[in-house]
Amino acid sequence: MAGEPQDDCLFCKIVAGSIPATIVRETDTTVAFRDINPQAPTHVLVIPKAHHRDAAALATAAPELAADVLRETQAVADDEKLESYRIIFNTGSGAGQTVWHAHAHVLGGRGLEWPPG
Ligand code: 5GP
Ligand code: ZN
């Protein structure tokens, strides 16, 4: 069911603490942690604690929670003193989504080309 923890989900395991992560922020509804394979000096993932498969599903099922995630991306950028940064929700395998628990990438600390690859 949408929102329920999934036994086979890596990010649900990070939320539960059964897989370690470098957590930089936590709220009642969200967790932010450093990406294990950083693509920029700051590369933090912000996730809802509840399981939703991607950003679209999250926004449809739980719009207030989607807003919590977005608010936390701003808080991460502030903590990391990023003037400019990029928020990415890879959605679908063709766009590079590999973990099926909604997550915002916060990337910054270097020049970011536009358009992205
Ligand atoms: P996606 O490709 O789905 O948009 O993003 C998934 C991200 O999760 C990737 O950037 C990947 O490096 C990161 N990742 C995968 N496994 C782990 C892990 O065990 N710990 C952390 N911190 N990040 C992970
Ligand atoms: Zn999950």
Side-chain angles (χ1 to χ4, degrees):
M1 196 179 122
E4 297 298 318
Q6 303 291 305
D7 289 343
D8 58 350
C9 174
L10 177 65
F11 288 176
C12 283
K13 290 177 184 167
I14 287 177
V15 171
S18 56
I19 289 181
T22 304
I23 292 173
V24 296
R25 295 185 58 85
E26 183 168 5
T27 70
D28 287 349
T29 58
T30 66
V31 183
F33 53 93
R34 296 201 188 279
D35 197 291
I36 204 167
N37 182 23
Q39 302 301 312
T42 292
H43 188 171
V44 170
L45 303 175
V46 181
I47 68 171
K49 288 183 175 176
H51 181 92
H52 297 274
R53 70 188 308 272
D54 58 28
L58 170 64
T60 301
E64 290 182 10
L65 182 53
D68 291 347
V69 169
L70 274 185
R71 199 177 303 110
E72 280 298 293
T73 65
Q74 174 70 63
V76 167
D78 288 348
D79 288 353
E80 302 275 319
K81 302 189 170 22
L82 301 177
E83 283 182 18
S84 300
Y85 57 96
R86 189 166 289 157
I87 304 166
I88 299 166
F89 291 91
N90 291 327
T91 303
S93 51
Q97 187 175 1
T98 57
V99 178
W100 300 91
H101 179 131
H103 52 280
H105 297 255
V106 182
L107 290 166
R110 64 164 169 80
L112 295 166
E113 291 178 10
W114 189 261

